[in-house]
Amino acid sequence: MAIDTTTQPTTPVGEPLGAPRLSTRDKLVLFVLCAAQFMVALDFSVLNVALPDLGTDLGMSRSALQWAVTAFALPSGGFLLLFGRIGDLYGRRKLFLTGLAVFGAASLLATLAWDPASFLAGRALQGLAAAAIVPTGMSLLTTTFPEGPARDRALGISGTLLSLGFTVGMVAGGVLTDALGWRSTMALLTVFALIVLPLAPGLLPESRTPERPRLDVPGAITVTGGLLSLIYSLSTAADHGFGRADVITALLSGLVLLTAFTVIESRSAAPLVSLPMLRRRTVAWGNVGGLVTFSMMSTVVFVLTLYLQEILELSAFETGLVFGVQGALSAVAGTLAPKVIGRFGAHRTLVGSLAGQGALVAALLPLNAHTWSAWLATGAVSLASVCHLGAIISYGVTVTSGVPDEEQGLATGLVTSTQQVGITVGIPLLGVLATTSGDLLTGVHTVLALDAAIVLAAAVLVGLGLREGRSRA
């Protein structure tokens, strides 16, 4: 009979639940891995408010500016699973260090860009490097820290910095752009890489699977092509809608390629993704929870940004303060989540966090054009982010618990793919309703209502799925 390790934490006698002691070296390893994850998360949002200035400086049209985001999102999401598996087979540390070096060089290229082509090349290389850094960094984390309170704490810190990176990026992007220009946002990433890269080689141990089966090339081609097509279609649809021929073609191509991928994996002797792993209820339902919490929270941030600036007419700085409160509470949540997981288990924490996130998004529905709504928006979105952080950390623990070390790259590759796809799909699928509605406030209410309903439904489904898995164990 299988044991649900997420509900049976092992804590040394006399130590508080969920608060294991880490050695100085463990803390330094955690710093390096989390700093790299924070750097990548920062890259997702730091450029957003700088896009108008960037377009003016480099001569990019409004329609072309979407590629400043898409050029990063395509490779960062499309190559995650492939690079996660390559790290498993040939060395996670080696690929992690390579990714850091390429990220630093790419950020410098984007900083010094002299025309749109050089800038987009830098962004694409940043995305490719991120696809190497994120899954290998997560695998190094889960193989360095043993399953139980130590790993829960490490994942808690990592998840906190992931969320903080996205929020800090929004605030820092505006401050840096106003003070030093858009190039400073890319220079900040270069500095991060230069800080982390020299520390990593002496601290991180090499980690790989004991055997080296052949790489599943057909699976790699179909899953990478499928993810690239899917992310391109959804990213482009966010700005131009789903009616364009290239969006429809890319969407259909992505679905066909991903379907082919599942067929190939079922017949491969050394699959890129183990279908038995996907049949693990913790992996399947944990990733469902992760997909929903990421996609729906990114949508809330998007529509609230529109609401605060266009309806309440807050400045970019004032809007940044709202999300600054959100980030501060998220940091607190990151320190508490491992203790909650240690007490109640990752499964219950995931379900409860999803339910809390959905309920607090629903609490935003009374928003109107009066200034007091800014206080409601600040309070509700900040508390929703606390629950969101709990969901991020507990779904990471749920998915990676019980997975052998040799398959941690596959598991964390799925975790990080879920994060990337979640961030990518939420705004095109729901956020576009706010911008295409005749009345923006009505559109915001529609999006928030659908968002809350989806998260609450996911809480119920994930709870039932994980409970059934425990009853069969």
Side-chain angles (χ1 to χ4, degrees), residues 141-473:
L141 187 150
T142 55
T143 54
T144 299
F145 296 93
E147 187 172 331
R151 184 184 295 177
D152 294 352
R153 183 180 181 188
L155 286 171
I157 296 171
S158 177
T160 300
L161 290 177
L162 180 69
S163 180
L164 274 177
F166 187 84
T167 304
V168 169
M170 295 179 63
V171 179
V175 173
L176 287 173
T177 302
D178 285 345
L180 301 172
W182 70 267
R183 294 179 189 273
S184 62
T185 63
M186 296 293 97
L188 176 64
L189 300 172
T190 308
V191 171
F192 257 102
L194 290 175
I195 292 172
V196 177
L197 184 58
L199 297 174
L203 290 170
L204 300 178
E206 185 54 280
S207 170
R208 63 165 65 93
T209 56
E211 299 178 359
R212 290 194 184 182
R214 294 175 59 185
L215 183 64
D216 176 19
V217 176
I221 292 173
T222 50
V223 73
T224 302
L227 288 172
L228 287 172
S229 298
L230 182 65
I231 293 170
Y232 170 81
S233 65
L234 294 173
S235 298
T236 306
D239 290 303
H240 303 289
F242 284 95
R244 285 181 25 161
D246 60 333
V247 172
I248 296 172
T249 301
L251 183 60
L252 293 175
S253 299
L255 294 175
V256 169
L257 287 169
L258 291 176
T259 301
F261 169 69
T262 60
V263 174
I264 290 170
E265 297 307 277
S266 67
R267 300 175 180 177
S268 175
L272 185 66
V273 172
S274 169
L275 294 183
M277 177 183 289
L278 288 175
R279 286 194 286 269
R280 292 174 185 253
R281 289 188 172 271
T282 53
V283 173
W285 287 107
N287 276 299
V288 168
L291 180 66
V292 169
T293 193
F294 269 103
S295 59
M296 294 300 101
M297 200 63 200
S298 66
T299 302
V300 170
V301 171
F302 173 75
V303 297
L304 280 184
T305 301
L306 293 177
Y307 167 78
L308 293 170
Q309 293 186 331
E310 297 190 23
I311 294 179
L312 295 188
E313 299 182 345
L314 298 186
S315 67
F317 176 74
E318 290 169 330
T319 302
L321 288 179
V322 171
F323 293 111
V325 174
Q326 174 196 18
L329 284 184
S330 294
V332 174
T335 63
L336 296 178
K339 298 179 181 180
V340 176
I341 292 171
R343 183 178 181 88
F344 298 104
H347 298 173
R348 294 187 183 92
T349 304
L350 174 58
V351 174
S353 296
L354 287 171
Q357 180 179 328
L360 286 159
V361 170
L364 290 165
L365 290 174
L367 292 176
N368 55 39
H370 298 297
T371 54
W372 64 263
S373 289
W375 294 102
L376 172 60
T378 302
V381 76
S382 298
L383 293 175
S385 293
V386 170
C387 296
H388 172 61
L389 233 298
I392 290 175
I393 297 168
S394 55
Y395 109 83
V397 174
T398 298
V399 172
T400 58
S401 294
V403 177
D405 280 356
E406 61 269 19
E407 293 186 339
Q408 281 294 334
L410 292 175
T412 56
L414 289 171
V415 169
T416 50
S417 293
T418 294
Q419 294 170 358
Q420 176 64 45
V421 172
I423 292 171
T424 303
V425 303
I427 294 173
L429 291 179
L430 288 185
V432 70
L433 295 176
T435 58
T436 56
S437 174
D439 177 66
L440 179 58
L441 185 57
T442 299
V444 168
H445 285 156
T446 301
V447 171
L448 292 175
L450 289 172
D451 190 292
I454 291 170
V455 179
L456 291 171
V460 173
L461 293 175
V462 171
L464 292 174
L466 292 176
R467 177 182 295 177
E468 185 178 346
R470 288 196 296 272
S471 67
R472 290 184 179 183

Side-chain angles (χ1 to χ4, degrees), residues 29-80:
V29 169
L30 189 58
F31 169 79
V32 167
L33 295 175
C34 288
Q37 302 283 356
F38 180 85
M39 175 183 70
V40 173
L42 196 69
D43 202 6
F44 275 110
S45 59
V46 73
L47 194 64
N48 287 353
V49 293
L51 290 178
D53 287 355
L54 183 154
T56 301
D57 186 31
L58 295 182
M60 296 176 69
S61 66
R62 181 179 293 274
S63 60
L65 283 177
Q66 64 142 332
W67 281 100
V69 177
T70 304
F72 176 84
L74 277 173
S76 66
F79 288 91
L80 273 171

